[in-house]
Amino acid sequence: MIDPSARTVHRARISSLATYVPPRLLTNADLERLVETTDEWILQRTGIRERHIVDSGVATSDLAAEAAREAIRRAGLTPADIDFIVVGTTTPDMMFPSTTCLVQTKIGAPHAWGFDLGAACSGFTYALTTAAQMVSAGGSKHALVIGADVMSSIIDYTDRTTCVLFGDGAGAVVVEASDDDGIGIIDFENYVDGRGGDALCMPAGGSLRPASRETVDQRLHYVKQDGQTVFKFAVRKTEEIARRILERNGLTAADIDLFVSHQANRRIIQSATEKLGLPPEKVIINIERFGNTTAATIPLALNDALCAGKLKKGQLVLLASVGAGFTVGAVLLRWGF
């Protein structure tokens, strides 16, 4: 436990990053055999070529634990050092216990408490904000942030409008106090617009519509989406929240070294970044290989940027997300390693 009397305000930083995707691939060619679609149609409208899908019996906590173990190792820690865990997910293993409880047990982190955070595609940015505030206030020394989803568990593979979009994956970061005031999380902005809830949702399975023969027959336990509404909102709000956080910190798009958006659709990212005036070389897009993994997209994109040498210590990075709810989030930071 952290001694409350010893708490001081620190800037929080990301000290490690790791990701995990299941090995099985579902390609556009595979989807051509399931629904009336084509590789060209999917690629042109979404930018996706393939996505990773779990095998039967593999749950969100399994993917999360894989990413978490490696993130902890890369931070030079052991699971016993972790004192707080927050998992952003839309696809918990079950209604309860929380996925955080399951991950805590699977990785062997006996001193950690935590909870799940439901913000759909903004799950990682919301969870990162939460952990950073805990660390900054002295309530956590080593926090573990996970974005993980098994979207294939709630996708209707007879619905060509949604089944082409989603994949499964996980990403995890360790957040701790920065020993350099110039490194770490500078600012964040999160908000919701609940008026858009019906545009992207899973209608049944909660307290309003518990599982019944009728809800199953009506296929209400799968993702339902009004694609045009979601697309327009995502483009507008990605640009809006990015401008808002930059202006508040006296910055412009020219100051950003790397922009990492939630990977929902290539056209959404390109439209928003063109409006912001960000050149393509400062924007990470990797949806081609993973699809929309919901809370895992941003850590997966950050990992690709690291591997490609596009992300280095001290660079100014802007994260942005829009998700079902609607949820909107952004985090401004200087990269920590």
Side-chain angles (χ1 to χ4, degrees), residues 99-153:
T99 305
T100 292
C101 289
L102 303 175
V103 171
Q104 185 250 15
T105 298
K106 286 182 178 182
I107 67 174
H111 305 130
W113 71 282
F115 46 81
D116 290 358
L117 193 155
C121 297
S122 294
F124 182 78
T125 53
Y126 277 37
L128 179 59
T129 297
T130 302
Q133 294 301 294
M134 287 289 294
V135 170
S136 294
S140 170
K141 187 174 181 182
H142 301 296
L144 179 65
V145 177
I146 303 171
D149 275 297
V150 175
M151 292 303 294
S152 61
S153 67

Side-chain angles (χ1 to χ4, degrees), residues 36-270:
E36 187 179 345
T37 192
T38 66
D39 173 70
E40 181 182 6
W41 187 92
I42 299 169
L43 189 60
Q44 184 180 60
R45 286 164 178 77
T46 69
I48 303 168
R49 290 187 184 275
E50 61 188 24
R51 65 290 288 151
H52 292 255
I53 301 295
V54 301
D55 290 326
S56 178
V58 177
T60 294
S61 66
D62 296 315
L63 306 189
E66 291 282 356
R69 291 187 193 99
E70 183 61 15
I72 294 168
R73 187 192 69 80
R74 292 180 182 179
L77 303 172
T78 70
D81 296 313
I82 301 300
D83 52 28
F84 178 65
I85 303 171
V86 55
V87 178
T89 187
T90 301
T91 55
D93 289 25
M94 57 197 77
M95 291 290 286
F96 61 89
S98 70
T99 305
T100 292
C101 289
L102 303 175
V103 171
Q104 185 250 15
T105 298
K106 286 182 178 182
I107 67 174
H111 305 130
W113 71 282
F115 46 81
D116 290 358
L117 193 155
C121 297
S122 294
F124 182 78
T125 53
Y126 277 37
L128 179 59
T129 297
T130 302
Q133 294 301 294
M134 287 289 294
V135 170
S136 294
S140 170
K141 187 174 181 182
H142 301 296
L144 179 65
V145 177
I146 303 171
D149 275 297
V150 175
M151 292 303 294
S152 61
S153 67
I154 57 171
I155 296 302
D156 183 351
Y157 285 97
T158 68
D159 177 6
R160 73 170 189 165
T161 66
T162 57
C163 73
V164 303
L165 301 176
F166 296 95
D168 304 335
V173 297
V174 171
V175 177
E176 57 188 38
S178 178
D179 55 7
D180 180 346
D181 287 341
I183 296 294
I185 294 170
I186 298 167
D187 198 4
F188 68 91
E189 176 94 5
N190 298 313
Y191 60 89
V192 300
D193 185 347
R195 295 171 297 178
D198 290 341
L200 181 53
C201 64
M202 189 175 76
S207 60
L208 177 63
R209 291 175 176 169
S212 66
R213 181 181 296 275
E214 290 73 22
T215 62
V216 172
D217 289 346
Q218 294 171 33
R219 308 184 77 80
L220 298 181
H221 296 268
Y222 295 118
V223 171
K224 307 295 181 183
Q225 175 174 267
D226 177 347
Q228 283 300 310
T229 297
V230 173
F231 183 95
K232 292 175 182 177
F233 185 90
V235 171
R236 185 172 73 254
K237 293 300 181 178
T238 299
E239 178 197 3
E240 177 186 285
I241 200 164
R243 286 193 188 280
R244 186 180 300 183
I245 198 168
L246 289 173
E247 289 173 0
R248 188 165 67 220
N249 288 276
L251 301 169
T252 69
D255 297 306
I256 296 299
D257 294 306
L258 193 70
F259 180 73
V260 183
S261 175
H262 166 57
Q263 308 283 307
N265 184 301
R266 177 182 289 272
R267 292 187 298 146
I268 290 174
I269 300 169
Q270 290 175 332

